[in-house]
Amino acid sequence: MCANVFGVLKSLFGKPFDGGKRMEHGGQQQQQPQQQPPMATEHPAQYLPQHPAMTRLYEVHREVTGLGPQVCTFSGLADDRDYKRLERELTRLLLDVDRVDTEGKAELQCARKRAAQEVEGLLRYLEENARHPSRRAMEELSEEARQLVDARVVAPQRQGATADVDDELLEALQQLILRLTQLKTEGRVPLRKARYRALTRLCAVQDVLEGRTPRQTLSLPLSSDTHGAVESINQVMAKVSVARSQLVALLMGLSGRDSCAHLSRLLMEMQVELDALDVSGNAAVRNYRKQVVEEINGLLKHLDMEGEGDDTRRYDLAQNDSIREIEAVRAHVRQLREGVLRHCAVGHPGLGPKAELQGLLTHLDQVDTAKNPCIREARRRAVVEVQAVVTFLDLREALARRRPGTDEHPAHRAVWTVLASLSELQAGVLGFDGKRVDKSYVVLEELLTKQLLALDAVDPHGDDGAKVARKQAVKFAQNILNYLDMKTDEWEY
């Protein structure tokens, strides 16, 4: 009996392997050590501590020690006020070191050289981070987001019109967020903080704008005839709408003279005004007031962005419990994958640990991402890794069960031939652990591309089942290519 290639492919590719859109990427994550500026390891005061020159070098060292933490955590740009202040103070210290008279003594010359290296190291670290390509890319993406939000939300409301918030705008913001998560930080604290700050602000704006859409489906606000307090609640609702626009402008740096503290006071005053209303005896009005209060609370939670990114536990995701949970799953997947590949190498298809892999998918579904795009991306990658092994096992089983008949359609037979080749190539991709410059990567990419060309050459001869089977096989080959790219794109959380 001829195996139904279309049915097998349909069951095989019905899984969301092509990107795990129900979840969120995790290639070969390599946690890089956080880079720090070069610092002198020896204290200059160990040389001739009573000499005036050494006393001055010790004072410079003490000032540098005070500036060091500020430099190591500065996440701004070269035209920021704090950058110019730090640069000015470090330059002054460098000049002070140059003016120290060593009187030709080797010990003092060595101490002065070390002090100069210490200051120069901080200056270099400060400049490298502020002018780093990733830092500039973060600012460019932030500016792109600012222009988008200004044109669609802030500017229209300032002119008395309605903000243009729709799925297209929210999707554009989501794409900007994804592009931010893909920027490399090289483990540098300033770059990680800058990326985290940009992400949290943009995610907050996305959340605020998404909160507008449910209002369109509510039967509220109520008519003023319902209760005497309804008119007051309606007035507060109007103020909340204005405050929402002000909050978006604040988060995107489009606020002008407004501040988070001022907006927070306004929102709290609205809460006090609502609390003072007497709505006893009317459940509908109480519910209306409750919804307005919840809207205000939803805006207030986003008003702590001023200090966002200062907490190490926030931007250092290697310490995040959800990331640790995801990494534990990925380590387990690697063990299972290695076992699967060993069994296949000796010609034992077996059923494999499919039940265990499905359990890992369920586990990943339950990981709390706290709406953090980097954690979502890490989870998505982990899901793709699990799904890659599952689809590999499914295809191996389908190939083992295949019993082609003499009446099998030529196009079906051709697709099965390509799928057999893809199965072997997928084993190579699952076992690949290198970089894009490696020869083995280039070979795998070329062979997968050849299989895509082979599928393009399959003539279905008008058979609808063959057309769909070929389409699904093309999708599978592209997914393998995407997975190979994901494993080598050096993404970092």
Side-chain angles (χ1 to χ4, degrees):
M1 184 67 181
C2 175
N4 189 328
V5 65
F6 169 52
V8 171
L9 285 169
K10 184 176 181 181
S11 62
L12 180 63
F13 304 117
K15 303 177 180 63
F17 166 54
D18 58 332
K21 293 184 179 178
R22 65 187 180 91
M23 316 229 9
E24 290 77 17
H25 279 10
Q28 291 298 104
Q29 174 68 36
Q30 297 178 351
Q31 185 61 28
Q32 302 182 25
Q34 295 183 2
Q35 299 185 14
Q36 298 292 345
M39 304 284 283
T41 56
E42 296 185 43
H43 200 291
Q46 66 180 306
Y47 301 102
L48 304 175
Q50 304 301 321
H51 197 283
M54 185 55 67
T55 300
R56 181 57 190 139
L57 289 176
Y58 176 79
E59 293 173 353
V60 170
H61 175 83
R62 186 171 55 188
E63 290 189 63
V64 170
T65 301
L67 290 173
Q70 299 178 50
V71 173
C72 293
T73 58
F74 175 75
S75 58
L77 298 167
D79 56 356
D80 290 356
R81 182 175 60 183
D82 283 343
Y83 177 92
K84 294 176 180 178
R85 174 183 62 80
L86 289 169
E87 184 183 44
R88 183 170 58 251
E89 293 185 16
L90 288 170
T91 302
R92 173 182 60 79
L93 291 175
L94 191 59
L95 293 174
D96 288 349
V97 171
D98 288 340
R99 285 195 290 265
V100 171
D101 184 8
T102 62
E103 300 175 359
K105 296 181 178 180
E107 296 90 339
L108 293 175
Q109 289 175 345
C110 182
R112 185 177 69 176
K113 180 179 179 181
R114 289 178 180 276
Q117 289 175 340
E118 191 172 12
V119 179
E120 288 171 349
L122 285 177
L123 271 170
R124 184 165 54 252
Y125 189 75
L126 179 69
E127 182 178 6
E128 286 175 354
N129 289 317
R131 303 182 187 278
H132 194 280
S134 291
R135 185 64 186 87
R136 291 198 297 269
M138 292 174 201
E139 189 60 25
E140 289 170 0
L141 289 173
S142 296
E143 180 58 29
E144 187 176 342
R146 276 193 290 271
Q147 293 178 3
L148 177 65
V149 172
D150 189 27
R152 300 284 297 274
V153 180
V154 178
Q157 291 206 339
R158 283 177 176 168
Q159 297 168 4
T162 303
D164 185 15
V165 180
D166 55 16
D167 290 341
E168 182 182 352
L169 172 61
L170 296 175
E171 178 62 26
L173 291 175
Q174 182 62 28
Q175 289 302 315
L176 290 171
I177 289 171
L178 290 176
R179 288 165 64 187
L180 273 170
T181 64
Q182 293 165 0
L183 293 177
K184 306 295 186 294
T185 64
E186 300 175 0
R188 294 171 178 256
V189 169
L191 296 181
R192 295 176 75 178
K193 287 183 66 174
R195 186 180 68 173
Y196 177 79
R197 186 178 178 85
L199 280 169
T200 49
R201 286 177 176 265
L202 196 50
C203 287
V205 169
Q206 184 186 44
D207 188 48
V208 172
L209 295 179
E210 284 179 341
R212 297 174 60 92
T213 50
R215 296 291 164 198
Q216 300 170 3
T217 62
L218 291 174
S219 58
L220 305 176
L222 300 174
S223 169
S224 300
D225 298 333
T226 306
H227 192 279
V230 171
E231 181 62 31
S232 298
I233 300 176
N234 287 344
Q235 291 175 0
V236 174
M237 270 292 288
K239 294 178 185 177
V240 171
S241 180
V242 174
R244 187 189 298 109
S245 178
Q246 291 174 336
L247 175 58
V248 169
L250 276 167
L251 295 173
M252 297 306 298
L254 301 166
S255 60
R257 294 175 296 176
D258 294 336
S259 68
C260 286
H262 175 67
L263 183 57
S264 180
R265 285 195 298 272
L266 291 178
L267 289 168
M268 293 178 71
E269 288 173 3
M270 295 178 202
Q271 283 187 325
V272 172
E273 184 178 347
L274 290 171
D275 288 340
L277 294 176
D278 180 12
V279 296
S280 58
N282 193 310
V285 177
R286 282 202 307 272
N287 184 49
Y288 181 25
R289 182 177 67 174
K290 179 182 177 182
Q291 291 189 47
V292 179
V293 169
E294 289 175 351
E295 174 114 359
I296 294 173
N297 288 333
L299 298 181
L300 281 169
K301 74 178 182 180
H302 293 302
L303 281 172
D304 60 351
M305 291 292 107
E306 293 293 337
E308 199 67 54
D310 291 336
D311 185 353
T312 301
R313 296 282 296 183
R314 290 177 178 268
Y315 69 78
D316 187 5
L317 290 179
Q319 308 300 322
N320 183 276
D321 290 338
S322 294
I323 287 292
R324 287 174 171 174
E325 194 172 353
I326 292 170
E327 287 301 310
V329 171
R330 293 182 64 243
H332 193 181
V333 173
R334 281 194 292 272
Q335 293 178 350
L336 296 177
R337 183 175 61 215
E338 290 169 2
V340 167
L341 293 177
R342 281 197 302 270
H343 280 88
C344 291
V346 296
H348 178 62
L351 294 177
K354 287 175 61 176
E356 196 170 355
L357 289 165
Q358 293 295 343
L360 292 177
L361 285 176
T362 302
H363 186 172
L364 288 169
D365 270 331
Q366 298 168 351
V367 172
D368 181 17
T369 64
K371 293 188 176 181
N372 185 307
C374 289
I375 301 177
R376 288 202 304 264
E377 181 70 359
R379 187 176 69 170
R380 190 188 79 82
R381 286 175 172 257
V383 168
V384 172
E385 288 188 359
V386 177
Q387 291 170 338
V389 182
V390 172
T391 54
F392 173 72
L393 290 171
D394 285 347
L395 181 55
R396 284 279 174 154
E397 292 172 21
L399 288 168
R401 292 194 306 265
R402 172 171 152 75
R403 298 292 183 270
T406 56
D407 58 342
E408 184 177 40
H409 194 285
H412 283 252
R413 187 182 304 111
V415 170
W416 274 112
T417 301
V418 173
L419 285 173
S421 299
L422 286 174
S423 177
E424 297 300 323
L425 291 174
Q426 190 181 16
V429 172
L430 288 172
F432 178 78
D433 186 18
K435 299 181 179 180
R436 295 186 182 183
V437 294
D438 295 348
K439 183 178 179 180
S440 53
Y441 173 89
V442 177
V443 170
L444 283 170
E445 188 179 42
E446 289 180 351
L447 291 175
L448 286 168
T449 303
K450 286 182 179 179
Q451 296 307 314
L452 281 170
L453 294 174
L455 287 170
D456 287 339
V458 173
D459 186 358
H461 298 287
D463 185 273
D464 291 337
K467 289 180 182 178
V468 176
R470 184 181 66 176
K471 181 179 179 181
Q472 296 283 20
V474 168
K475 181 179 179 181
F476 181 56
Q478 290 173 337
N479 285 339
I480 299 175
L481 273 170
N482 292 338
Y483 178 60
L484 179 62
D485 287 341
M486 190 194 79
K487 293 185 72 173
T488 56
D489 65 3
E490 299 179 352
W491 180 81
E492 60 184 38
Y493 43 73

